[in-house]
Structures are given as structure tokens and as C-alpha cells.
Amino acid sequence: MALDVNAIVDQLKESSILELNDLVKAIEEEFGVSAAAPVVAAGAAGADAAAEKDSFTVELSEIGQEKVKVIKAVREITGLGLKDAKGLVDNAPSALKEDVSKDEAEEMKAKLEEVGAVVNLK
């Protein structure tokens, strides 16, 4: 018996989320598998990797009391226009820049904290 892959894909496209959830549960039970992503235990090796990290994501966590100043700082840091910078600030927590060096990330963090924002480096 050959599978008609296109027919199966078409049926999946037309299915609701609840139906797909039931399908996943049925497959897990029938075949004894799990659809959950495997979790890797991060022991001492994880701590070493964090210490050697060379690229960071600058995340604006809270805007503080000076929203206008934070928007100006975000515009300066990211080079975005007013509307885009305001959108990032309004949707905090939000990532401002990804894969930046430690020095650049610290500089951005300092500029934002200077105007009252709360910033996390990830």
C-alpha cells in the first residue's frame, strides 16, 4: 500500500488545530514516541559556553518613565524611523539588535539605561 503524500498534506491543511492536536496524540500513543522537542541538560558546559559568548541580543524589557527619550535612544541605536522605533518601544519587551559584540551591546545598554529603560543582554 503506497501513501498518497499529497492527499495527506491536503487533509492536514484543511484540519483544525484541535484535529491536528488529536492526531499528534494518537501518533504518540500508537508508536510510543513524543512530539516534544528534546531538552538538553546544560551543566558546567553550559556555564562555560555562556562565559565565552561573543554575540548578544539587546532586549528592551521596560521603557520606564521617559518614553520619548527611550524612543529617541532606540532610533539612534537601531537607525530606524520614528514609527518603527515607537513600535519597538510600545511592544516592549522586544529585541532591538541581535548578534552584536559584547562592547556594542554594553554601549547600547548604557545609552538606554541612561534614559530610564530596563535592558537585558541575552
Side-chain angles (χ1 to χ4, degrees):
M1 176 171 132
L3 288 177
D4 185 359
V5 176
N6 291 332
I8 293 171
V9 170
D10 288 339
Q11 286 180 334
L12 291 175
K13 285 180 183 178
E14 295 173 4
S15 301
S16 70
I17 298 297
L18 291 175
E19 292 171 328
L20 294 174
N21 187 39
D22 291 341
L23 174 64
V24 169
K25 286 180 183 178
I27 291 172
E28 287 176 338
E29 289 174 11
E30 180 67 30
F31 298 106
V33 296
S34 174
V39 177
V40 178
D48 292 340
E52 297 173 11
K53 190 171 183 176
D54 60 350
S55 65
F56 294 86
T57 297
V58 179
E59 179 185 76
L60 177 65
S61 299
E62 297 176 28
I63 61 172
Q65 300 296 318
E66 301 288 336
K67 182 178 179 180
V68 174
K69 290 181 181 179
V70 174
I71 292 171
K72 286 181 181 181
V74 168
R75 286 186 68 197
E76 179 183 335
I77 289 169
T78 61
L80 294 173
L82 180 61
K83 182 178 179 181
D84 294 329
K86 183 180 182 300
L88 281 175
V89 171
D90 287 342
N91 293 319
S94 56
L96 299 180
K97 276 200 170 182
E98 296 179 350
D99 297 326
V100 295
S101 69
K102 183 176 181 177
D103 293 338
E104 187 178 358
E106 290 291 339
E107 184 179 320
M108 289 179 209
K109 181 177 180 181
K111 284 182 183 179
L112 289 164
E113 287 178 342
E114 186 177 301
V115 294
V118 177
V119 180
N120 292 324
L121 300 180
K122 294 183 176 183

